[in-house]
């Protein structure tokens, strides 16, 4: 009898986890599709991972900078439009995400209280790709536009 109760509890837990992840199309691992992307410079995020972290979301980003060196940054927060700390980013110390609708987020990054990047993230209706459109400051302080397309892994 105990074994059946334990199995039932595990089944409910795993089904609940899958349903919660299915409710948010942004969750999971996304890999850059360079052929479909357009960048003003060499810097890019190659892999982005969205994962649940308690009642928050953790976003882990790995990529390259304009010199070809590897980059890694992490953000944990809610998609509530408030700024939360970013660790590992040389260009930003805070980031905020806000839901526009079930498939679209707006985000901003700040460095020392000044907005240095703003954009939108839209997951396709079939959930297999996402497009990130950004306007941000480059190394010379000029605003540039990038469009990055990612495939769900």
């Amino acid at each position: 009898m105990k074994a059946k109760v334990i199995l039932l509890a595990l089944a409910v837990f795993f089904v609940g986890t899958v349903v919660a992840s299915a409710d948010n199309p942004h969750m999971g691992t996304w890999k850059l599709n360079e052929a479909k992307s357009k960048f003003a410079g060499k810097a890019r995020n190659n892999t982005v991972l969205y994962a649940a972290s308690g009642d928050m979301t953790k976003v882990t980003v790995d990529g390259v900078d304009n010199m070809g060196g590897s980059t890694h940054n992490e953000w944990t927060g809610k998609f509530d439009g408030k700024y939360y700390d970013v660790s590992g980013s040389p260009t930003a110390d805070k980031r905020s995400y806000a839901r526009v609708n079930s498939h679209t987020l707006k985000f901003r990054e700040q460095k020392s209280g000044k907005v240095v990047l703003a954009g939108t993230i839209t997951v396709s209706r079939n959930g297999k790709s996402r497009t990130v459109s950004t306007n941000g400051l480059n190394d010379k302080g000029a605003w540039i536009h990038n469009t990055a397309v990612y495939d769900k892994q």
Side-chain angles (χ1 to χ4, degrees):
M1 183 68 172
K2 281 186 178 180
K4 286 183 182 180
V5 171
I6 291 171
L7 285 175
L8 180 61
L10 286 173
V12 168
F13 170 77
F14 286 115
V15 169
T17 302
V18 169
V19 169
S21 295
D23 288 345
N24 188 341
H26 295 278
M27 301 303 271
T29 302
W30 300 91
K31 185 173 179 179
L32 179 66
N33 184 329
E34 288 201 48
K36 294 181 179 179
S37 302
K38 296 179 184 169
F39 295 98
K42 294 180 183 178
R44 58 205 63 208
N45 296 328
N46 294 322
T47 306
V48 180
L49 169 65
Y50 287 75
S53 180
D55 66 341
M56 296 188 182
T57 301
K58 181 175 183 178
V59 180
T60 305
V61 181
D62 290 297
V64 295
D65 61 20
N66 276 327
M67 303 301 288
S70 64
T71 62
H72 176 88
N73 69 74
E74 296 180 5
W75 175 92
T76 302
K78 296 181 179 183
F79 297 157
D80 59 5
K82 296 178 183 176
Y83 283 95
Y84 296 86
D85 291 340
V86 176
S87 63
S89 173
T91 59
D93 50 28
K94 302 268 187 197
R95 184 181 302 150
S96 75
Y97 290 89
R99 286 189 194 281
V100 174
N101 59 48
S102 64
H103 283 75
T104 305
L105 298 172
K106 286 192 176 205
F107 71 101
R108 290 179 178 257
E109 289 188 348
Q110 288 183 343
K111 180 75 170 186
S112 302
K114 180 180 177 183
V115 174
V116 294
L117 182 77
T120 59
I121 304 166
T122 304
V123 175
S124 64
R125 285 285 166 207
N126 67 11
K128 293 181 180 181
S129 68
R130 72 193 269 266
T131 302
V132 180
S133 178
T134 60
N135 291 303
L137 291 173
N138 68 8
D139 297 343
K140 298 176 184 173
W143 286 93
I144 58 169
H145 178 77
N146 289 317
T147 301
V149 178
Y150 294 83
D151 298 319
K152 184 91 174 237
Q153 300 301 293

